[in-house]
Amino acid sequence: YQRRVREAVVSTQSTGSSGINAEYGQVDIPSTTGHFGILPNHVPTIAILLPGVVSITTEAGDIQKFFVSSGTATIHADSTVQILAEEICDVADIDGNAARAALEASKSKLASASSEADKAAAQIEVDVYEGMVAVA
């Protein structure tokens, strides 16, 4: 399990930035305050992401789904949505068997963790792999 910060920028217009760049009709995100949808002209907001699926619906109605492990989403006044995630991948790229095996290993690590730091790190892994298993 490696952590890499990735950026996704979605907007009502192409921005030309690095990472995932898409024009959208709606973006749905999993946050600590619940799952919510973002439409163009959404009120500027900052949200903390939970492990789960970010769905980007284009104006044509096509849906792209990405798994995020954690991170933040910033909705800007110009209708761009910036997603900074520790890990982000296409849902179709998740190997369900590998995710289940990693979940079991993470649960074992949590059960045997002795320090609070080790318990916290193992719990984060469990949360991420539970999210991956749920969408695989």
Side-chain angles (χ1 to χ4, degrees):
Y1 178 70
Q2 297 177 345
R3 295 178 185 262
R4 293 172 301 223
V5 176
R6 294 287 307 271
E7 178 180 23
V9 178
V10 292
S11 70
T12 53
Q13 301 175 358
S14 180
T15 62
S17 69
S18 63
I20 298 164
N21 184 17
E23 295 183 25
Y24 75 95
Q26 180 170 336
V27 177
D28 296 299
I29 64 169
S31 79
T32 55
T33 58
H35 286 71
F36 69 94
I38 303 159
L39 297 170
N41 300 314
H42 191 284
V43 64
T45 306
I46 296 176
I48 298 170
L49 299 175
L50 292 175
V53 176
V54 171
S55 297
I56 302 170
T57 305
T58 66
E59 290 182 349
D62 298 323
I63 300 173
Q64 296 175 293
K65 293 185 177 189
F66 300 93
F67 178 81
V68 295
S69 61
S70 63
T72 61
T74 305
I75 299 100
H76 299 278
D78 66 357
S79 292
T80 57
V81 179
Q82 181 182 34
I83 297 169
L84 295 174
E86 289 284 335
E87 292 284 337
I88 186 168
C89 70
D90 193 303
V91 168
D93 292 339
I94 295 174
D95 179 333
N97 292 328
R100 281 185 281 283
L103 175 59
E104 291 308 312
S106 296
K107 286 180 177 179
S108 294
K109 194 185 299 184
L110 178 60
S112 65
S114 56
S115 72
E116 290 303 313
D118 290 343
K119 288 178 186 177
Q123 184 62 58
I124 290 168
E125 285 188 24
V126 167
D127 293 345
V128 169
Y129 290 122
E130 283 179 340
M132 292 177 83
V133 167
V135 302

